[in-house]
Amino acid sequence: MTFNSTKMEKNRNNLIGGMVLVDLRLTRLAKILVDYSVDLKKGEHILIEVTGDGKTLAKEVIKQVYRKQGIPFLTLKDYSLLRELLKECSVQQIKSMASYELKRMKEMDVYIGIRGAQNISELGDVPAEKMKIYMEHFTKPVHSEERVSNTKWCVLRFPNHSMAQLANMSTEAFEDFYFKVCSFDYSMMSRAMDPLVELMEKTNMVHIKGKGTDITFSIKDVPVIKCDGRFNIPDGEVFTAPVRDSVNGYVTFNTPAVYQGVTYENIRLEFKDGKVIDARANEEEKLNQVLDTDEGSRFLGEFALGLHPLIKKPMKDTLFDEKIFGSFHLTPGSCYDDAPNGNKSAIHWDLVCIQTPEYGGGEIYFDGVLVRKDGLFVVDELKGLNPENLF
């Protein structure tokens, strides 16, 4: 399923007989989403939710849904309107919003979310107490609890000018990168992930060392899940969750993290018996407000290794950054039902640390055995995941 862009396929701005040609890359991606990522079946109800840009991709997804004899539903949203709505919202108002969206979500078998924010900081000045209301009374029941647990779902970004700027690339160059990454051969990647899943399932203690990082935790008896293009596009990670009270030490994340419209740099978290006891960053007050969302937000709900060989540097977009080859991420907040550790929260915030040499290097040990050094796997059974072996 690997895709190499050609001039023939980069034709969305070409005109023939006064008609704009469909970008064949969008059609190809829509087929991957419908046929592979959510594996749509005849008669299934699918909600396609577009936030910001992404209508052109949504059109192609709808066409593919009808091809598979599915039943599509569509919602269009906008972050600037959401910002205005949240600035003076009440608990009852957000609960009412959630009630009808939750009812609809319960009628869906499948969900595809297309995110195309024109400004990633659009929600950055919404008061913290209002964002807390929204996360607790809307996002948690509608998405964290219902959509994630009870639908086949996939979430992806749309390649607009904003994303290109974040990646420090021209729009055309970013689009080429985006479609190459998103249309990777995930079935090949999936097979290469199997030995890592098997090893992590046998592992008790994880020890991560690096610049500003020395942290240990157990993953014993927590399920290990490979992400091979089913839930996110792009994809490429293997995740589990730390045993809730086992996390001790400190970790520094060298990848910028954008959350609720705020950009955080150099987040450093210190843990004792699973709980964040000290949190520092450039936006320290706001960071601690997020971590005080509820009782579960200072505990971890996920640990994952990033594996996508084509994603090598951060671009302030979690769906891409958490897949960077040679990275790991830890997640304050709720665990997934697929890899439960008992931690529940209204937040789920993936924080990424890259361990390749240009980002400071680092080591990961499973039960005292070095398995990855400076971003590359060093044990024989895992070397198939190193970039030179994934093409």
Side-chain angles (χ1 to χ4, degrees), residues 157-192:
R157 300 293 189 254
F158 185 79
N160 58 10
H161 300 301
S162 176
M163 283 193 74
Q165 286 180 318
L166 291 172
N168 294 315
M169 300 171 71
S170 69
T171 301
E172 182 178 2
F174 178 74
E175 286 180 350
D176 288 345
F177 166 75
Y178 172 91
F179 285 108
K180 188 176 182 181
V181 165
C182 290
S183 301
F184 193 78
D185 187 345
Y186 288 111
S187 60
M188 177 181 66
M189 180 186 290
S190 180
R191 292 189 294 272

Side-chain angles (χ1 to χ4, degrees), residues 204-206 215-220 222 241-249 271-275 299-300 341:
N204 177 8
M205 292 301 300
V206 176
I215 190 169
T216 61
F217 50 87
S218 173
I219 57 172
K220 185 178 181 181
V222 182
V243 174
R244 190 176 186 269
D245 300 328
S246 71
V247 187
N248 285 286
F271 294 83
K272 181 175 174 57
D273 298 332
K275 186 175 183 178
F299 291 83
L300 294 178
N341 71 346

Side-chain angles (χ1 to χ4, degrees), residues 261-294:
V262 178
T263 299
Y264 297 87
E265 304 271 358
N266 297 312
I267 293 176
R268 182 187 186 276
L269 303 180
E270 184 175 349
F271 294 83
K272 181 175 174 57
D273 298 332
K275 186 175 183 178
V276 176
I277 59 171
D278 186 68
R280 303 180 186 182
N282 60 320
E283 296 281 358
E284 197 163 305
E285 181 179 357
K286 290 185 176 181
L287 170 63
N288 280 279
Q289 287 174 343
V290 173
L291 295 176
D292 288 335
T293 298
D294 50 40

Side-chain angles (χ1 to χ4, degrees), residues 312-365:
K312 301 175 182 178
K313 62 181 182 178
M315 50 174 285
K316 292 185 180 180
D317 187 286
T318 302
L319 278 179
F320 280 75
D321 293 351
E322 67 179 359
K323 314 304 190 314
I324 292 170
F325 188 88
S327 72
F328 69 87
H329 59 271
L330 294 168
T331 306
S334 192
C335 64
Y336 285 117
D337 288 346
D338 289 343
N341 71 346
N343 197 49
K344 294 299 179 184
S345 173
I347 75 166
H348 180 93
W349 187 11
D350 297 315
L351 300 175
V352 180
C353 178
I354 308 170
Q355 292 191 305
T356 52
E358 55 267 47
Y359 288 93
E363 301 169 347
I364 296 180
Y365 297 83

Side-chain angles (χ1 to χ4, degrees), residues 189 196 208-210 236-238 252 254-255 303-314 320-329 351-364 371-378 385-387 390:
M189 180 186 290
L196 177 58
I208 305 176
K209 298 176 66 176
E237 67 175 90
V238 171
T252 302
N254 56 15
T255 300
F303 160 62
L305 297 178
L307 302 169
H308 200 304
L310 297 178
I311 308 178
K312 301 175 182 178
K313 62 181 182 178
F320 280 75
D321 293 351
E322 67 179 359
K323 314 304 190 314
I324 292 170
F325 188 88
S327 72
F328 69 87
H329 59 271
L351 300 175
V352 180
C353 178
I354 308 170
Q355 292 191 305
T356 52
E358 55 267 47
Y359 288 93
E363 301 169 347
I364 296 180
V371 295
R372 202 180 77 177
K373 181 176 176 60
D374 296 340
L376 290 175
F377 291 103
V378 297
L385 282 167
N386 288 335
L390 279 176

Side-chain angles (χ1 to χ4, degrees), residues 200 223-227 231 237-241 301-305 329 336 338-339:
M200 290 175 68
V224 180
I225 308 299
K226 61 180 179 179
C227 297
F231 299 110
E237 67 175 90
V238 171
F239 78 90
T240 182
E302 182 185 345
F303 160 62
L305 297 178
H329 59 271
Y336 285 117
D338 289 343

